[in-house]
Amino acid sequence: MKILFASDFHIGMTRTANHTSESSQRREQASREMLLHVLQTPHEYAVCGGDFFDKFSNPETTIIEALDYARQFHYILAGNHDS
């Protein structure tokens, strides 16, 4: 049985210190691309080990977008940024 275990995607991350708007957008896009790449790894079960989100309160658009990714996991454990 192959179990895919991944964590710390931090969807919806926003940073202002030492980041430009453009660098934040690039980081967010890279995170989404990595998540899609990870989910393409052959597996029977997929587990997210936490920190699916970057903060415990997110805009509705971020939550809706994340649902498309979340549906591909069998289990999602809450991390310190999730609630």
Side-chain angles (χ1 to χ4, degrees):
M1 174 185 319
K2 291 186 179 182
I3 299 173
L4 171 70
F5 184 88
S7 67
D8 296 285
F9 298 115
H10 293 275
I11 294 173
M13 181 189 293
T14 55
R15 298 287 188 267
T16 54
N18 301 318
H19 292 352
T20 65
S21 174
E22 294 81 19
S23 69
S24 291
Q25 289 174 357
R26 285 193 308 270
R27 196 231 51 91
E28 187 71 20
Q29 183 60 33
S31 180
R32 288 181 181 100
E33 290 172 6
M34 180 57 71
L35 178 53
L36 290 173
H37 178 75
V38 165
L39 287 168
Q40 291 175 0
T41 303
H43 61 274
E44 295 174 48
Y45 291 96
V47 178
C48 177
D51 290 345
F52 200 85
F53 291 102
D54 190 57
K55 44 193 171 213
F56 66 89
S57 178
N58 293 282
E60 186 176 322
T61 54
T62 300
I63 295 169
I64 290 169
E65 177 189 359
L67 282 174
D68 290 333
Y69 300 118
R71 287 185 180 112
Q72 298 180 60
F73 285 92
H74 294 90
Y75 300 99
I76 298 175
L77 307 172
N80 64 316
H81 291 115
D82 307 315
S83 78

